[in-house]
């Protein structure tokens, strides 16, 4: 069967991000996401009913005047792990249920531009293609699309909070190594490590110039320019999905910077703050990952490296835009 989708611009040309519109038949829905949390999908309607009792109206980017013009009502709450529900409204009154999905709140994120939005207008499921300040491409499901979409501008730089649900978290594979024998690559590796170590673990702004000027401590010793073995289990990596509309389904490996637990309807949830990208000239990309504690395989502690298949999420709030332009 041939897959059809269409590109369309919204509002004023060159101001709003490009939209790629998909049908419900072309999008996967949230069944797999609910199954991260339960093997009994019949629990979900009960959770939706219970979540109404604690739900409020998230701020997003809209003003009070914008709220009155919304054609969708978004119900959410401030718990770290919670449910977002979307209702269609008519003349300010709820008309019918549209969608619901589990969410994770995160204090971490990155400054990004929204280059493109992949959207199912019927369900209000949207995946943002984000470009970070250092040029990294990130795809994330938009928790707040139903109330934010009229505010997005393509050339604007937003602070995007990033989080995710992990299907399963495991320790990274420690015996995967590559041997580097190229002299220039070895020199770069040794120089980078020495310079960062001398700067309290933080790459300085002029690291490129420092690497060019770096010399081994002992010019008569070959040890510092000997072949290097790099442990791939100590690497930060992020790979987004390849299926259109499901690019938010990603694989990642990264270092655990913090851990804590919370609950989701009496189920213990482990939260891990994980650096999944760490480039020399950029701030590390840290996301908060959540998963039922039972979905964690092996003993994992802070500073360990983990691997996970995740559903990456984004949230853009007006109060977090102070440092963007």
């Amino acid at each position: 069967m041939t897959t059809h989708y269409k590109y369309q611009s919204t509002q004023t040309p060159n101001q709003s991000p490009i939209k790629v519109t998909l049908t419900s038949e072309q999008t996967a829905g949230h069944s797999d996401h609910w199954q991260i949390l339960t093997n009994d999908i019949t629990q979900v309607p009960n959770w939706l009913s219970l979540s109404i009792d604690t739900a409020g109206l998230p701020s997003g980017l809209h003003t009070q005047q914008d709220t009155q013009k919304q054609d969708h009502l978004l119900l959410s709450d401030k718990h770290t792990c919670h449910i977002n529900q979307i209702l269609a409204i008519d003349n300010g009154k709820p008309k019918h249920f549209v969608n619901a999905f589990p969410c994770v709140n995160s204090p971490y994120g990155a400054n990004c531009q929204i280059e493109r939005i992949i959207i199912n207008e019927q369900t209000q499921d949207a995946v943002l293609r984000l470009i970070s300040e250092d040029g990294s491409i990130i795809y994330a499901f938009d928790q707040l699309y139903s109330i934010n979409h009229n505010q997005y501008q393509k050339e604007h730089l937003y602070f995007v909070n990033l989080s995710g649900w992990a299907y399963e978290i495991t320790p990274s594979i420690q015996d995967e190594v590559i041997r580097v024998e190229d002299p220039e690559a070895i020199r770069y590796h040794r120089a980078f490590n020495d310079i960062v170590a001398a700067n309290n673990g933080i790459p300085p702004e002029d690291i490129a110039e420092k690497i060019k000027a770096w010399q081994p401590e002992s010019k008569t010793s070959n040890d510092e320019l000997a072949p290097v073995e790099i442990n791939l289990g100590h690497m930060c990596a992020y790979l987004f999905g390849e299926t259109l509309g499901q690019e938010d389904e990603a694989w990642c490996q990264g270092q655990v910077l913090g851990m804590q637990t919370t609950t989701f309807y009496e189920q213990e949830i482990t939260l891990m703050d994980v650096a999944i990208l760490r480039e020399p000239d950029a701030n590390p990309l840290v996301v908060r990952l959540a998963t039922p504690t039972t979905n964690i395989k092996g003993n994992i502690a802070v500073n360990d490296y983990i691997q996970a298949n995740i559903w990456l999420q984004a949230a853009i709030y007006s109060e977090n835009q102070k440092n963007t332009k």
Side-chain angles (χ1 to χ4, degrees):
M1 181 178 67
T2 302
T3 299
H4 299 281
Y5 56 91
K6 61 180 180 179
Y7 287 88
Q8 69 180 54
S9 296
T10 59
Q11 299 180 359
T12 306
N14 301 322
Q15 289 189 358
S16 298
I18 293 171
K19 278 189 178 182
V20 179
T21 303
L22 303 181
T23 66
S24 294
E25 289 74 21
Q26 295 169 316
T27 51
H30 296 291
S31 176
D32 287 345
H33 304 144
W34 289 115
Q35 288 177 12
I36 296 173
L37 293 161
T38 179
N39 292 323
D40 181 8
I41 206 71
T42 62
Q43 292 189 63
V44 174
N46 293 330
W47 291 345
L48 299 184
S49 178
L50 291 171
S51 71
I52 295 293
D53 295 336
T54 59
L57 302 177
S59 57
L61 291 172
H62 60 272
T63 64
Q64 186 63 36
Q65 185 178 6
D66 295 324
T67 303
Q68 298 173 0
K69 302 177 182 178
Q70 295 286 347
D71 52 5
H72 289 93
L73 177 68
L74 181 63
L75 300 177
S76 183
D77 66 43
K78 296 183 179 180
H79 294 140
T80 301
C81 298
H82 62 276
I83 294 172
N84 277 12
Q85 295 192 56
I86 302 172
L87 305 177
I89 57 176
D90 186 17
N91 293 323
K93 296 181 180 180
K95 186 178 178 182
H96 59 79
F97 174 84
V98 175
N99 204 351
F101 40 84
C103 293
V104 181
N105 282 344
S106 170
Y108 307 105
N111 291 327
C112 302
Q113 290 185 359
I114 303 172
E115 183 185 60
R116 191 172 68 197
I117 302 172
I118 304 168
I119 174 65
N120 178 341
E121 296 283 8
Q122 183 176 348
T123 62
Q124 294 291 289
D125 285 327
V127 176
L128 305 180
R129 177 182 166 97
L130 305 167
I131 309 294
S132 70
E133 286 183 297
D134 68 326
S136 297
I137 298 174
I138 305 162
Y139 283 91
F141 177 83
D142 190 351
Q143 297 180 3
L144 304 177
Y145 175 82
S146 62
I147 58 172
N148 273 351
H149 62 97
N150 289 329
Q151 303 291 328
Y152 290 150
Q153 296 182 16
K154 184 175 182 179
E155 302 300 327
H156 193 85
L157 193 66
Y158 297 97
F159 182 80
V160 183
N161 293 88
L162 294 168
S163 61
W165 287 103
Y167 294 91
E168 184 178 273
I169 293 177
T170 62
S172 64
I173 301 172
Q174 297 297 305
D175 58 0
E176 290 187 1
V177 298
I178 57 174
R179 183 179 174 86
V180 180
E181 297 183 350
D182 178 71
E184 286 301 313
I186 294 169
R187 185 182 184 282
Y188 183 95
H189 178 80
R190 300 291 190 191
F192 179 82
N193 286 347
D194 283 355
I195 294 165
V196 172
N199 198 48
N200 298 318
I202 303 172
E205 292 184 2
D206 60 344
I207 190 168
E209 289 75 14
K210 289 185 181 296
I211 288 174
K212 290 180 181 178
W214 178 87
Q215 294 294 331
E217 290 184 6
S218 174
K219 295 183 179 180
T220 61
S221 173
N222 292 325
D223 291 343
E224 292 181 340
L225 294 178
V228 175
E229 286 192 348
I230 299 176
N231 188 331
L232 297 182
H234 288 174
M235 176 182 67
C236 295
Y238 157 71
L239 300 174
F240 52 78
E242 296 180 351
T243 302
L244 180 67
Q246 298 180 45
E247 293 93 340
D248 50 340
E249 302 286 345
W251 177 89
C252 71
Q253 177 174 286
Q255 187 175 24
V256 178
L257 305 180
M259 292 179 65
Q260 57 185 294
T261 59
T262 186
T263 58
F264 181 89
Y265 294 102
E266 301 182 354
Q267 180 175 197
E268 183 179 279
I269 302 292
T270 295
L271 305 173
M272 293 188 186
D273 304 328
V274 182
I276 63 172
L277 284 178
R278 187 181 281 154
E279 300 297 336
D281 299 322
N283 293 324
L285 181 65
V286 180
V287 300
R288 173 160 286 177
L289 299 181
T291 198
T293 303
T294 53
N295 287 355
I296 298 175
K297 310 303 179 185
N299 296 321
I300 297 173
V302 173
N303 294 325
D304 288 349
Y305 283 77
I306 59 94
Q307 293 179 347
N309 290 314
I310 65 173
W311 177 36
L312 192 60
Q313 300 182 344
I316 303 177
Y317 297 97
S318 59
E319 60 264 30
N320 293 344
Q321 306 308 309
K322 297 177 182 178
N323 298 322
T324 59
K325 58 185 178 180

